[in-house]
Amino acid sequence: MIEQPMNLSEVFKQSHLDRQLPAIAEKVQNRERITEAEGLLLFEKGDLGFVGSLANYIAGYQHHNKVYFNRNFHIEPTNVCVFTCNFCSYSRQYKHRDDGWEMGMEQMLDIVRKYDGQPVTEVHIVGGVHPKMNLEFFCELISKIKAHRPDLHIKGFTAVELDYMIRKAKLSIEDGMQRLKDAGLQSLPGGGAEIFHPDVRNIICADKVDGTGWLHIHETAHNLGMHSNATMLYGHIEKYEHRIDHMSRLRQLQDKTGGFNCFIPLKFRNKGNDMSHIAESTIVEDLRLYAISRIFMDNFKNLKAYWPMLGRQTAQLTLSFGVNDLDGTIDDTTKIYSMAGSEEQSPSMSTEDLCDMIHAVGRIPVERGTLYNEIKVYSEMEAVN
Ligand code: V47
Ligand code: SF4
């Protein structure tokens, strides 16, 4: 069970913390929003125990003991990409496409058919930005998936992929997104956000859609009634103030539209890319970031730890630092992190594995749909199937 101190600010007043930190604890206790300056202070001075207690307190009253997961699989149409993000270990340039993969329509539909009769609820479609896979091609893919399996929620395409395919089709973002929605697209994943601030973005991924463009695409999706996720790639060259700037811009858009389902911090992995000389963040820093995200992003109900990238043990630890979602069972259909050096070389977890991992830390596993509708609550004694 999550223990909730009777009065957090009293606890922290007695500790040997920076004098400004107890005021933040008091705000958390009163369920008030913290400012950007306070968020920065947490990054600079909040030790793991402090930020962890606050995050756990918030997750406690928001989610009681529940931890969500979903049953999903990925389709990664290609890793050929016109962009050259320095942190990417996954993509291949078009001229080297023989080293990568390019799936045809039937090949992708075969992946969907493989799950016939299985209780998956979501397909996550994401990949490189291939110069020859256009809007029409993806609209056809989506409508064929929907025709075959109407119950499957289609979450697809990062704002980076969308920006490219819609611009190439010479449509406005609004019209392009409407076409995809009409074809059956239901939500957007959170990728491509990286770090919005241009001082960082211009170094790590200068040639793709900028932060303002990313936010515009998500705002457009929300205005069309679609939901989306938001990510932040952390632990490379960014400074704490860039993280706060990024999180603050997401928080503002969420105030405006309410369309984000969850926030997903993505830990930079350094194998096989042009930023391999940068050391990866420590687990303590990872956990501090999850906790501060939970405290700062007060209008994001769900905080997701993506276990294929973090590794399952660290992902399990995040459950004590504000996280309430572990993404999905996934199968082994994603390569983006195994190619960047994640411990999870062939990530797949059965529902039973996920439930065991959640039960082991005293939480209650709940299978959810993409929009966080509860599908099944797994009590400890119940057989998993
Ligand atoms: O935008 C690429 C990241 C993202 C590396 O919405 C890397 O449910 C770490 O966004 N080290 C794509 N990260 C994946 C993504 C995602 C994943 C899971 C769930 C959801 C969701 C979205 O992967 C990219 C980039 O930020 N990435 N290379 C790397 N070396
Ligand atoms: Fe392409 Fe995405 Fe890799 Fe950037 S992160 S190079 S956009 S596949």
Side-chain angles (χ1 to χ4, degrees), residues 250-265:
L250 290 171
R251 193 168 79 166
Q252 281 166 35
L253 181 54
Q254 180 74 330
D255 277 343
K256 202 165 160 190
T257 65
F260 286 116
N261 280 330
C262 71
F263 180 54
I264 317 165

Side-chain angles (χ1 to χ4, degrees), residues 102-272:
E102 299 164 297
M103 288 188 194
M105 187 69 67
E106 279 309 306
Q107 223 179 330
M108 292 191 272
L109 292 171
D110 277 345
I111 298 177
V112 178
R113 289 185 201 111
K114 220 176 79 188
Y115 292 90
D116 282 357
Q118 291 189 39
V120 287
T121 58
E122 175 189 286
V123 55
H124 179 163
I125 308 173
V126 69
V129 180
H130 193 294
K132 304 240 158 97
M133 291 183 180
N134 60 21
L135 182 73
E136 288 314 311
F137 176 77
F138 285 122
C139 283
E140 187 183 336
L141 173 68
I142 295 166
S143 53
K144 285 188 165 157
I145 294 174
K146 270 281 156 204
H148 180 72
R149 186 115 188 225
D151 60 313
L152 208 55
H153 185 110
I154 303 183
K155 180 177 86 180
F157 312 114
T158 63
V160 176
E161 295 165 272
L162 293 166
D163 175 66
Y164 184 85
M165 70 173 91
I166 294 172
R167 275 193 297 115
K168 215 161 175 195
K170 298 198 175 3
L171 294 173
S172 65
I173 295 296
E174 286 73 10
D175 290 346
M177 294 297 297
Q178 184 68 57
R179 284 233 194 143
L180 287 153
K181 188 183 176 202
D182 293 344
L185 185 68
Q186 288 161 287
S187 328
L188 269 48
E194 324 312 358
I195 289 285
F196 294 143
H197 199 290
D199 288 354
V200 175
R201 202 170 184 89
N202 290 339
I203 297 172
I204 65 169
C205 55
D207 53 0
K208 69 187 185 187
V209 68
D210 65 11
T212 307
W214 189 99
L215 289 160
H216 176 61
I217 289 173
H218 281 254
E219 184 169 357
T220 306
H222 299 171
N223 290 338
L224 289 173
M226 300 160 89
H227 282 77
S228 71
N229 295 339
T231 59
M232 175 171 80
L233 180 72
Y234 73 91
H236 43 88
I237 60 164
E238 89 287 1
K239 299 203 164 64
Y240 291 146
E241 47 265 44
H242 299 127
R243 294 183 186 179
I244 288 293
D245 172 74
H246 188 93
M247 289 158 63
S248 184
R249 292 176 73 174
L250 290 171
R251 193 168 79 166
Q252 281 166 35
L253 181 54
Q254 180 74 330
D255 277 343
K256 202 165 160 190
T257 65
F260 286 116
N261 280 330
C262 71
F263 180 54
I264 317 165
L266 295 171
K267 174 189 173 109
F268 164 66
R269 306 304 307 245
N270 69 4
K271 191 176 145 216

Side-chain angles (χ1 to χ4, degrees), residues 296-315:
F296 188 80
M297 310 287 273
D298 62 338
N299 54 0
F300 278 70
K301 193 140 187 243
N302 301 297
L303 179 63
K304 188 195 281 189
Y306 188 57
W307 64 264
M309 177 262 289
L310 271 182
R312 53 196 87 187
Q313 285 179 333
T314 308

Side-chain angles (χ1 to χ4, degrees), residues 335-363:
K335 297 192 182 61
I336 193 159
Y337 294 110
S338 49
M339 289 171 81
S342 166
E343 300 67 16
E344 303 288 345
Q345 285 306 302
S346 182
S348 90
M349 260 209 267
S350 66
T351 306
E352 192 168 3
D353 295 335
L354 265 169
C355 287
D356 285 350
M357 182 170 152
I358 296 166
H359 278 141
V361 291
R363 308 286 157 114

Side-chain angles (χ1 to χ4, degrees), residues 289-300:
L289 174 77
Y290 278 97
I292 295 168
S293 304
R294 170 58 80 195
I295 299 164
F296 188 80
M297 310 287 273
D298 62 338
N299 54 0
F300 278 70

